[in-house]
Each structure stands twice: as structure tokens, then as C-alpha cells.
Amino acid sequence: MRKKKESGKGELLPSHIGIIMDGNGRWAQKRGLPRSAGHTVGAANFKKITRYCSSIGIRYLTVYAFSTENWKRPAEEVGALLGLFRQYLEEALRDFLNDDIKVRFLGDVSAFPKALQELIAETVEVSKNRTGMTLNIAMNYGGRAEIVRAAQQAAQLVKDGELSPEEIDEARLSSLMYTAGEPDPDLIIRPSGEQRISNFLLWQSAYAEYVILDILWPDFKPADLDKAIAEYQKRKRRFGGV
Ligand code: FPP
């Protein structure tokens, strides 16, 4: 396993990585298992990859765990996902106290059951002063919904006389996103081969490098993350310049 100090390419490491954890359902179906079994293995892999990112010095990791559209899935699958979130947060509060990871949530978590909302609030609270990697878990998240929410907040500030319309610029809108205060993602990884954005970090990913890997999320290994970072390090980022 490549460690921060051994990588020798620390300065080129992406500061912020986003991951669309895709392919759990297909992984399970290929094995004749219910889709929820894929999510169980996917959740275990999420923990492994999160710790790996922290160990190599990634500063921000954003994972897409549940989109605003995922409520359309069969009730049994939604229930299994909510159960996994709850289990993960209980474990995080009980067993991961020594992990120097700050946890934040992106999305409208008020739609989740009360017990889950309480775990979310507690996880944010106990980890808020940690100085290591920030883990953003996008849950009931949609990029468009996030932009609409920011626009509504800006409109309210104008209405309240706290802001003039001319003062609504990119920096102001960024400060109204769930990711306020964080750098934009440098690298977004999508396993499972799908070549779609799927409403993930629409505002923040304007200049992100996308790496799509033909592997399903439950099979995604630390070596695949290394592969995606190596691909990112080969890219020449121009941010619209030359
Ligand atoms: C997409 O695969 C994956 C999801 C909708 C859920 C991702 C959630 C986890 C990995 C659970 C763990 C997260 C936490 C925070 C504990 P898919 O089901 O759309 O796969 P498919 O495209 O093959 O159907």
C-alpha cells in the first residue's frame, strides 16, 4: 500500500477526490444475489477506500451515497441502504474515534428517519474539530437541488437587504453550497464504466478531471484509486487557459 511519505508525488496528489460509488446492483445481480447484497459489500468497501485516501494524504473525499433520485428505487432497496447508513454511523461513533477524519454531509438530510438524522448530527459534532481528511457523504443529494437551494438563499439575503444583486458572484454562490469553505474537487472517479455525471457536484466540478474505470464499486481496490490518481497526474489542467 502506498503511503503518503513514500509516494514521492505528494505535491501532485489531488487535494479533493469525488467518487460515484456505482455498480453495487450489477455486482450482486452477476452473482444471483439481491441488489442490497451489493450495497452491503459496497459499504464495506467505502470504509476501506476512505481509510486508504486518508492514509495517503488526500485532504477531502466526497462520496455519492444516495441521490435525490434514489428514493424511486424499490422500498426494500431504499430500506437496506438506510440500514447501512445507520450501521456505518453507529460504527463510526463507536469504533472510529481514533480516525482523524472529519465527517460532513451534503444534501437534505431532513428527509431521513429521525434516528438517522440524530446519528448524522452526532457524527458531525464529534468529528468537527478533527484536522485530518474531511469526508463528505452526499446523502439525499442532487447537484441541481443544491444550486436551487443556494439561489433561494441568495434571493432571501437580497430580500432582507443584506446583499445587493451585483454582489451575487461565484464566490458568494460557492459559499452557499454544502461544500462551503472546501476546495473544488480535482478528480472525480466513476467506477462501473458509466459515462455520466448523474447530478453529482454540478457546481463544484466545473474543472474537475474525470476518470472512468471499468470496474464495479464492490471490486474497486486501493490499487484502482492509485490508477485513477496516476491518470490524473498525467493530465494537463488548463482551467480554460492554454
Ligand atoms: C450505486 O450503485 C450505488 C448506490 C446508489 C448506493 C451507494 C451506497 C453505498 C456504497 C453504501 C455505503 C455508504 C455509506 C455512507 C455507508 P447501483 O445500485 O446504482 O449499481 P448499478 O448501477 O449496478 O445498479
Side-chain angles (χ1 to χ4, degrees), residues 21-26 35 39 42-43 46 64-65 70 73 77 81 84-85 88 137 217:
M21 303 186 290
D22 195 17
N24 296 341
R26 273 165 286 169
R35 294 175 54 83
H39 295 313
F46 150 75
Y64 207 178
N70 286 155
R73 294 188 175 208
E77 186 173 343
L81 280 167
L84 284 170
F85 298 150
Y88 167 70
I137 304 181
W217 174 250

Side-chain angles (χ1 to χ4, degrees), residues 31-194:
R31 288 163 177 76
L33 299 168
R35 294 175 54 83
S36 56
H39 295 313
T40 303
V41 182
N45 203 36
F46 150 75
K47 284 195 265 182
K48 183 161 138 194
I49 297 296
T50 297
R51 283 196 161 139
Y52 182 67
C53 284
S54 167
S55 78
I56 63 169
I58 301 302
R59 299 299 305 155
Y60 297 87
L61 172 67
T62 301
V63 293
Y64 207 178
F66 195 87
S67 77
T68 44
E69 288 71 40
N70 286 155
W71 296 107
K72 293 184 220 152
R73 294 188 175 208
E76 188 203 336
E77 186 173 343
V78 171
L81 280 167
L82 297 187
L84 284 170
F85 298 150
R86 194 172 165 163
Q87 187 187 329
Y88 167 70
L89 294 177
E90 279 167 353
E91 283 172 19
L93 287 167
R94 196 182 58 225
D95 304 333
F96 306 158
L97 294 175
N98 295 326
D99 281 349
D100 192 16
I101 297 175
K102 180 194 289 199
V103 187
R104 294 178 72 184
F105 290 84
L106 318 183
D108 178 11
V109 298
S110 71
F112 291 116
K114 265 272 161 308
L116 185 53
Q117 287 184 49
E118 282 164 17
L119 279 172
I120 287 172
E122 202 181 336
T123 309
V124 170
E125 182 58 30
V126 301
S127 71
K128 71 177 184 202
N129 293 323
R130 293 184 189 158
T131 54
M133 185 178 82
T134 296
L135 167 66
N136 296 317
I137 304 181
M139 272 174 49
N140 195 26
Y141 172 86
R144 284 188 169 186
E146 180 182 36
I147 294 169
V148 167
R149 174 179 168 271
Q152 286 177 346
Q153 289 183 0
Q156 189 64 49
L157 289 169
V158 171
K159 190 173 168 209
D160 295 345
E162 289 175 35
L163 196 66
S164 69
E166 298 71 38
E167 285 173 317
I168 302 176
D169 57 10
E170 292 188 13
R172 174 69 62 164
L173 280 183
S174 289
S175 78
L176 297 173
M177 299 292 158
Y178 291 115
T179 47
E182 299 184 5
D184 286 341
D186 305 292
L187 165 65
I188 295 186
I189 303 169
R190 180 156 197 161
S192 98
E194 302 289 0

